[in-house]
PDB file of all heavy atoms in Angstrom:
ATOM      1  N   TYR N1449      71.451 104.927 135.256  1.00 94.00           N
ATOM      2  CA  TYR N1449      69.963 104.824 135.659  1.00 94.00           C
ATOM      3  C   TYR N1449      69.353 103.712 134.861  1.00 94.00           C
ATOM      4  O   TYR N1449      69.637 103.453 133.620  1.00 94.00           O
ATOM      5  CB  TYR N1449      69.278 106.151 135.361  1.00 94.00           C
ATOM      6  CG  TYR N1449      69.765 107.348 136.180  1.00 94.00           C
ATOM      7  CD1 TYR N1449      70.856 108.084 135.731  1.00 94.00           C
ATOM      8  CD2 TYR N1449      69.160 107.602 137.385  1.00 94.00           C
ATOM      9  CE1 TYR N1449      71.319 109.155 136.512  1.00 94.00           C
ATOM     10  CE2 TYR N1449      69.638 108.788 138.201  1.00 94.00           C
ATOM     11  CZ  TYR N1449      70.662 109.501 137.740  1.00 94.00           C
ATOM     12  OH  TYR N1449      71.191 110.530 138.461  1.00 94.00           O
ATOM     13  N   ASP N1450      68.467 103.020 135.542  1.00 94.00           N
ATOM     14  CA  ASP N1450      67.655 101.892 134.934  1.00 94.00           C
ATOM     15  C   ASP N1450      66.261 101.934 135.491  1.00 94.00           C
ATOM     16  O   ASP N1450      66.020 102.276 136.641  1.00 94.00           O
ATOM     17  CB  ASP N1450      68.340 100.593 135.108  1.00 94.00           C
ATOM     18  CG  ASP N1450      69.611 100.379 134.363  1.00 94.00           C
ATOM     19  OD1 ASP N1450      69.588 100.504 133.144  1.00 94.00           O
ATOM     20  OD2 ASP N1450      70.661 100.212 135.044  1.00 94.00           O
ATOM     21  N   ILE N1451      65.272 101.422 134.651  1.00 94.00           N
ATOM     22  CA  ILE N1451      63.933 101.178 135.093  1.00 94.00           C
ATOM     23  C   ILE N1451      63.855  99.737 135.429  1.00 94.00           C
ATOM     24  O   ILE N1451      63.974  98.883 134.572  1.00 94.00           O
ATOM     25  CB  ILE N1451      62.945 101.506 134.001  1.00 94.00           C
ATOM     26  CG1 ILE N1451      63.045 103.013 133.535  1.00 94.00           C
ATOM     27  CG2 ILE N1451      61.469 101.194 134.395  1.00 94.00           C
ATOM     28  CD1 ILE N1451      62.210 103.392 132.349  1.00 94.00           C
ATOM     29  N   ILE N1452      63.721  99.469 136.716  1.00 93.00           N
ATOM     30  CA  ILE N1452      63.660  98.070 137.165  1.00 93.00           C
ATOM     31  C   ILE N1452      62.276  97.491 137.405  1.00 93.00           C
ATOM     32  O   ILE N1452      62.084  96.258 137.407  1.00 93.00           O
ATOM     33  CB  ILE N1452      64.485  97.977 138.475  1.00 93.00           C
ATOM     34  CG1 ILE N1452      63.946  98.891 139.637  1.00 93.00           C
ATOM     35  CG2 ILE N1452      66.022  98.366 138.204  1.00 93.00           C
ATOM     36  CD1 ILE N1452      64.728  98.730 140.865  1.00 93.00           C
ATOM     37  N   GLU N1453      61.273  98.286 137.590  1.00 92.00           N
ATOM     38  CA  GLU N1453      59.909  97.887 137.750  1.00 92.00           C
ATOM     39  C   GLU N1453      58.987  98.908 137.176  1.00 92.00           C
ATOM     40  O   GLU N1453      59.330 100.026 136.884  1.00 92.00           O
ATOM     41  CB  GLU N1453      59.619  97.638 139.237  1.00 92.00           C
ATOM     42  CG  GLU N1453      60.385  96.464 139.972  1.00 92.00           C
ATOM     43  CD  GLU N1453      59.970  96.371 141.487  1.00 92.00           C
ATOM     44  OE1 GLU N1453      59.020  96.987 141.840  1.00 92.00           O
ATOM     45  OE2 GLU N1453      60.649  95.641 142.157  1.00 92.00           O
ATOM     46  N   GLY N1454      57.718  98.392 136.976  1.00 92.00           N
ATOM     47  CA  GLY N1454      56.606  99.318 136.552  1.00 92.00           C
ATOM     48  C   GLY N1454      55.792  98.784 135.389  1.00 92.00           C
ATOM     49  O   GLY N1454      56.255  97.798 134.826  1.00 92.00           O
ATOM     50  N   GLY N1456      55.237 100.453 132.757  1.00 89.00           N
ATOM     51  CA  GLY N1456      55.630 101.171 131.493  1.00 89.00           C
ATOM     52  C   GLY N1456      57.029 100.848 131.128  1.00 89.00           C
ATOM     53  O   GLY N1456      57.670 101.693 130.441  1.00 89.00           O
ATOM     54  N   MET N1457      57.518  99.731 131.450  1.00 91.00           N
ATOM     55  CA  MET N1457      58.936  99.400 131.098  1.00 91.00           C
ATOM     56  C   MET N1457      59.169  99.380 129.668  1.00 91.00           C
ATOM     57  O   MET N1457      60.305  99.653 129.163  1.00 91.00           O
ATOM     58  CB  MET N1457      59.403  98.102 131.873  1.00 91.00           C
ATOM     59  CG  MET N1457      59.408  98.119 133.353  1.00 91.00           C
ATOM     60  SD  MET N1457      59.927  96.576 134.044  1.00 91.00           S
ATOM     61  CE  MET N1457      61.614  96.551 133.492  1.00 91.00           C
ATOM     62  N   ASP N1458      58.155  98.870 128.894  1.00 92.00           N
ATOM     63  CA  ASP N1458      58.395  98.858 127.439  1.00 92.00           C
ATOM     64  C   ASP N1458      57.952 100.164 126.800  1.00 92.00           C
ATOM     65  O   ASP N1458      58.108 100.229 125.521  1.00 92.00           O
ATOM     66  CB  ASP N1458      57.572  97.690 126.863  1.00 92.00           C
ATOM     67  CG  ASP N1458      56.095  97.729 127.208  1.00 92.00           C
ATOM     68  OD1 ASP N1458      55.795  98.417 128.248  1.00 92.00           O
ATOM     69  OD2 ASP N1458      55.274  97.121 126.517  1.00 92.00           O
ATOM     70  N   ILE N1459      57.303 101.014 127.532  1.00 93.00           N
ATOM     71  CA  ILE N1459      56.800 102.347 126.861  1.00 93.00           C
ATOM     72  C   ILE N1459      57.849 103.360 127.105  1.00 93.00           C
ATOM     73  O   ILE N1459      58.065 104.273 126.223  1.00 93.00           O
ATOM     74  CB  ILE N1459      55.493 102.734 127.492  1.00 93.00           C
ATOM     75  CG1 ILE N1459      54.513 101.622 127.356  1.00 93.00           C
ATOM     76  CG2 ILE N1459      55.004 103.982 126.897  1.00 93.00           C
ATOM     77  CD1 ILE N1459      54.112 101.295 125.929  1.00 93.00           C
ATOM     78  N   PHE N1460      58.565 103.415 128.215  1.00 95.00           N
ATOM     79  CA  PHE N1460      59.555 104.420 128.495  1.00 95.00           C
ATOM     80  C   PHE N1460      60.928 103.873 128.650  1.00 95.00           C
ATOM     81  O   PHE N1460      61.150 102.628 128.853  1.00 95.00           O
ATOM     82  CB  PHE N1460      59.099 105.184 129.809  1.00 95.00           C
ATOM     83  CG  PHE N1460      57.736 105.755 129.731  1.00 95.00           C
ATOM     84  CD1 PHE N1460      56.658 105.030 130.256  1.00 95.00           C
ATOM     85  CD2 PHE N1460      57.598 107.009 129.277  1.00 95.00           C
ATOM     86  CE1 PHE N1460      55.353 105.551 130.253  1.00 95.00           C
ATOM     87  CE2 PHE N1460      56.255 107.530 129.285  1.00 95.00           C
ATOM     88  CZ  PHE N1460      55.179 106.849 129.717  1.00 95.00           C
ATOM     89  N   GLU N1461      61.933 104.774 128.586  1.00 94.00           N
ATOM     90  CA  GLU N1461      63.331 104.407 128.773  1.00 94.00           C
ATOM     91  C   GLU N1461      63.991 105.557 129.490  1.00 94.00           C
ATOM     92  O   GLU N1461      63.548 106.674 129.493  1.00 94.00           O
ATOM     93  CB  GLU N1461      64.076 104.169 127.438  1.00 94.00           C
ATOM     94  CG  GLU N1461      64.124 105.318 126.536  1.00 94.00           C
ATOM     95  CD  GLU N1461      64.872 105.098 125.270  1.00 94.00           C
ATOM     96  OE1 GLU N1461      65.317 103.972 125.035  1.00 94.00           O
ATOM     97  OE2 GLU N1461      64.943 105.980 124.372  1.00 94.00           O
ATOM     98  N   ILE N1462      65.120 105.211 130.145  1.00 94.00           N
ATOM     99  CA  ILE N1462      65.830 106.290 130.900  1.00 94.00           C
ATOM    100  C   ILE N1462      67.315 106.214 130.501  1.00 94.00           C
ATOM    101  O   ILE N1462      67.900 105.067 130.370  1.00 94.00           O
ATOM    102  CB  ILE N1462      65.681 106.086 132.389  1.00 94.00           C
ATOM    103  CG1 ILE N1462      66.323 107.269 133.186  1.00 94.00           C
ATOM    104  CG2 ILE N1462      66.265 104.832 132.941  1.00 94.00           C
ATOM    105  CD1 ILE N1462      66.023 107.290 134.624  1.00 94.00           C
ATOM    106  N   ILE N1473      64.211 110.615 131.174  1.00 95.00           N
ATOM    107  CA  ILE N1473      63.029 109.706 130.897  1.00 95.00           C
ATOM    108  C   ILE N1473      62.523 110.082 129.483  1.00 95.00           C
ATOM    109  O   ILE N1473      62.137 111.326 129.301  1.00 95.00           O
ATOM    110  CB  ILE N1473      61.980 109.668 131.908  1.00 95.00           C
ATOM    111  CG1 ILE N1473      62.628 109.334 133.300  1.00 95.00           C
ATOM    112  CG2 ILE N1473      60.873 108.630 131.587  1.00 95.00           C
ATOM    113  CD1 ILE N1473      61.521 109.298 134.411  1.00 95.00           C
ATOM    114  N   ARG N1474      62.490 109.156 128.612  1.00 95.00           N
ATOM    115  CA  ARG N1474      61.996 109.355 127.289  1.00 95.00           C
ATOM    116  C   ARG N1474      60.928 108.348 126.870  1.00 95.00           C
ATOM    117  O   ARG N1474      60.785 107.256 127.476  1.00 95.00           O
ATOM    118  CB  ARG N1474      63.200 109.265 126.209  1.00 95.00           C
ATOM    119  CG  ARG N1474      64.379 110.231 126.473  1.00 95.00           C
ATOM    120  CD  ARG N1474      65.488 109.912 125.458  1.00 95.00           C
ATOM    121  NE  ARG N1474      66.674 110.654 125.831  1.00 95.00           N
ATOM    122  CZ  ARG N1474      66.926 111.893 125.387  1.00 95.00           C
ATOM    123  NH1 ARG N1474      66.053 112.501 124.647  1.00 95.00           N
ATOM    124  NH2 ARG N1474      68.051 112.527 125.727  1.00 95.00           N
ATOM    125  N   THR N1488      53.321 103.873 136.302  1.00 94.00           N
ATOM    126  CA  THR N1488      54.190 103.942 137.514  1.00 94.00           C
ATOM    127  C   THR N1488      55.468 103.236 137.256  1.00 94.00           C
ATOM    128  O   THR N1488      55.421 102.028 136.812  1.00 94.00           O
ATOM    129  CB  THR N1488      53.458 103.352 138.680  1.00 94.00           C
ATOM    130  OG1 THR N1488      52.272 104.136 138.929  1.00 94.00           O
ATOM    131  CG2 THR N1488      54.315 103.472 139.982  1.00 94.00           C
ATOM    132  N   LEU N1489      56.623 103.901 137.399  1.00 94.00           N
ATOM    133  CA  LEU N1489      57.903 103.297 137.192  1.00 94.00           C
ATOM    134  C   LEU N1489      58.729 103.300 138.433  1.00 94.00           C
ATOM    135  O   LEU N1489      58.557 104.214 139.336  1.00 94.00           O
ATOM    136  CB  LEU N1489      58.648 103.989 136.072  1.00 94.00           C
ATOM    137  CG  LEU N1489      57.893 104.256 134.736  1.00 94.00           C
ATOM    138  CD1 LEU N1489      58.727 105.037 133.825  1.00 94.00           C
ATOM    139  CD2 LEU N1489      57.607 102.820 134.129  1.00 94.00           C
ATOM    140  N   LYS N1490      59.655 102.331 138.638  1.00 95.00           N
ATOM    141  CA  LYS N1490      60.653 102.340 139.680  1.00 95.00           C
ATOM    142  C   LYS N1490      62.087 102.492 139.032  1.00 95.00           C
ATOM    143  O   LYS N1490      62.419 101.587 138.293  1.00 95.00           O
ATOM    144  CB  LYS N1490      60.538 101.073 140.523  1.00 95.00           C
ATOM    145  CG  LYS N1490      61.327 101.061 141.757  1.00 95.00           C
ATOM    146  CD  LYS N1490      61.192  99.869 142.651  1.00 95.00           C
ATOM    147  CE  LYS N1490      62.019  99.922 143.958  1.00 95.00           C
ATOM    148  NZ  LYS N1490      61.764  98.735 144.805  1.00 95.00           N
ATOM    149  N   VAL N1491      62.673 103.579 139.380  1.00 95.00           N
ATOM    150  CA  VAL N1491      63.956 103.897 138.785  1.00 95.00           C
ATOM    151  C   VAL N1491      65.125 103.674 139.852  1.00 95.00           C
ATOM    152  O   VAL N1491      65.020 103.967 140.984  1.00 95.00           O
ATOM    153  CB  VAL N1491      63.993 105.351 138.271  1.00 95.00           C
ATOM    154  CG1 VAL N1491      65.290 105.699 137.694  1.00 95.00           C
ATOM    155  CG2 VAL N1491      62.842 105.532 137.328  1.00 95.00           C
ATOM    156  N   GLU N1492      66.189 103.121 139.331  1.00 94.00           N
ATOM    157  CA  GLU N1492      67.390 102.869 140.203  1.00 94.00           C
ATOM    158  C   GLU N1492      68.629 103.587 139.628  1.00 94.00           C
ATOM    159  O   GLU N1492      68.764 103.657 138.392  1.00 94.00           O
ATOM    160  CB  GLU N1492      67.691 101.359 140.193  1.00 94.00           C
ATOM    161  CG  GLU N1492      68.914 100.983 141.018  1.00 94.00           C
ATOM    162  CD  GLU N1492      69.312  99.477 141.001  1.00 94.00           C
ATOM    163  OE1 GLU N1492      69.853  99.085 139.959  1.00 94.00           O
ATOM    164  OE2 GLU N1492      68.964  98.797 141.916  1.00 94.00           O
TER     165      GLU N1492
END
Side-chain angles (χ1 to χ4, degrees):
Y1449 296 88
D1450 290 303
I1451 300 175
I1452 58 175
E1453 292 181 11
M1457 295 181 62
D1458 58 338
I1459 304 298
F1460 302 95
E1461 65 179 358
I1462 187 170
I1473 301 176
R1474 303 176 187 272
T1488 301
L1489 306 175
K1490 189 174 183 179
V1491 179
E1492 180 185 76

